[in-house]
Amino acid sequence: MDENLIKNLEEQARKVRCRILEMLAQAGSGHTGGSLSGVDYLTALYWHELRHDPKNPAWPDRDRFILSKGHAAPLLYAVLAERGYFPVEELGRLRKLGSMLQGHPDMKKTPGVEISTGSLGQGLAVANGMALAGRLNKQDYRVYVMLGDGEVQEGMVWEAAMAAAHYKLDRVTAFLDHNGLQIDGPVAEVMNPEPLADKWQAFGWHVIGIDGHDFRQILSALAEAKTIKGKPTIIIGKTVKGKGVSFMENQVGWHGVTPARDDLERALAELNDGRGA
């Protein structure tokens, strides 16, 4: 694998993490831990995998990405800004009155947001609809969706999983941001969804398990998904909540808490020193 590509992705991921922390600190509200855990997957998508055009967000043949865990909106906003969908300066207006950057993604306000999300469990069903529309219209775009592992406690996720397999939606690729924590504590204690791989397989999906912070594994999984015919693929990525900042990692308390000024300075120092990469 191209080592320059990996280094570039690692650097982009570091910048995205810094952007997330800066905007959350300025906003004073929002979700920190789950935004940081999904950074590497979205970096791989938007800097390598997706067929997209930031200057033409409505390009009909673009690949689609849906952030089903909509509370991690700062992650999507940071990526879209860094890719040029809107000026980076807009990130400072997160959650401000009249801002294009709402607390959850809003397709009517933010360029590059494919669908408004926030109520958990809906994104996969929307991905199915987009994939079916592409099939009917004879378009070859792919649809990617990120789920939270607390989210897969939702019944509608499994209805959508069943439908995707029934309709053989091999252009749907889901990524499970499997950090193991949700707002009330460890997912396994709140409502244990395991064994996840077995369940997705039983629902007719191709399942790939990876380290969700290893770019080599992420890129390989995305490449493998494109070779699978007749069934959708889910990439179960083991991730770390708060990834990149030592005092936030695996701390459920950082689920919906934003960094104070001294927290931000300490976190940015870690990331810029390379220790949080």
Side-chain angles (χ1 to χ4, degrees), residues 12-247:
Q12 296 299 341
R14 185 193 65 78
K15 289 181 182 177
V16 168
R17 287 192 164 91
C18 290
R19 296 291 190 198
I20 290 169
L21 292 165
E22 289 166 346
M23 83 171 90
L24 284 168
Q26 188 161 345
S29 66
H31 293 81
T32 302
S35 294
L36 293 173
S37 66
V39 167
D40 300 304
Y41 181 69
L42 256 66
T43 300
L45 272 185
Y46 277 87
W47 272 270
H48 181 71
E49 190 69 23
L50 281 189
R51 186 173 61 184
H52 67 130
D53 181 359
K55 302 303 180 188
N56 185 13
W59 175 37
D61 293 327
R62 71 194 183 283
D63 291 333
R64 276 71 167 166
F65 171 73
I66 299 168
L67 182 66
S68 190
K69 45 174 285 186
H71 57 284
L75 162 59
L76 180 58
Y77 296 156
V79 168
L80 292 176
E82 285 288 339
R83 290 299 277 125
Y85 281 86
F86 53 82
V88 169
E89 289 73 21
E90 283 291 330
L91 298 177
R93 301 187 66 231
L94 173 67
R95 292 188 172 226
K96 298 290 191 286
L97 189 64
S99 169
M100 70 162 65
L101 305 181
Q102 300 294 296
H104 292 77
D106 186 332
M107 63 183 291
K108 294 182 178 179
K109 292 182 178 296
T110 312
V113 171
E114 296 286 354
I115 188 74
S116 302
T117 53
S119 296
L120 297 177
Q122 299 178 347
L124 184 55
V126 175
N128 290 347
M130 289 180 175
L132 285 168
R135 178 183 291 173
L136 289 170
N137 293 329
K138 302 188 185 308
Q139 292 173 280
D140 65 353
Y141 63 76
R142 301 186 64 84
V143 186
Y144 298 86
V145 55
M146 177 183 279
L147 306 168
D149 57 359
E151 187 177 15
V152 297
Q153 296 161 337
E154 303 276 351
M156 69 179 90
V157 170
W158 297 103
E159 293 179 62
M162 184 166 53
H166 175 79
Y167 290 108
K168 305 182 188 308
L169 299 180
D170 51 18
R171 292 187 177 277
V172 170
T173 299
F175 178 83
L176 181 59
D177 185 14
H178 190 28
N179 62 44
L181 296 174
Q182 60 189 113
I183 192 169
D184 292 323
V187 172
E189 295 179 9
V190 176
M191 180 65 74
N192 192 356
E194 296 290 352
L196 282 166
D198 291 346
K199 287 177 178 172
W200 286 97
Q201 286 173 346
F203 273 73
W205 286 59
H206 179 68
V207 179
I208 305 171
I210 63 167
D211 176 341
H213 299 305
D214 185 323
F215 280 113
R216 294 170 183 80
Q217 293 188 36
I218 294 172
L219 296 181
S220 293
L222 290 169
E224 180 178 329
K226 289 194 290 189
T227 70
I228 303 302
K229 303 302 180 187
K231 60 173 60 177
T233 293
I234 183 163
I235 301 168
I236 299 178
K238 186 69 186 74
T239 57
V240 175
K241 198 153 190 162
K243 175 65 177 177
V245 181
S246 63
F247 57 93

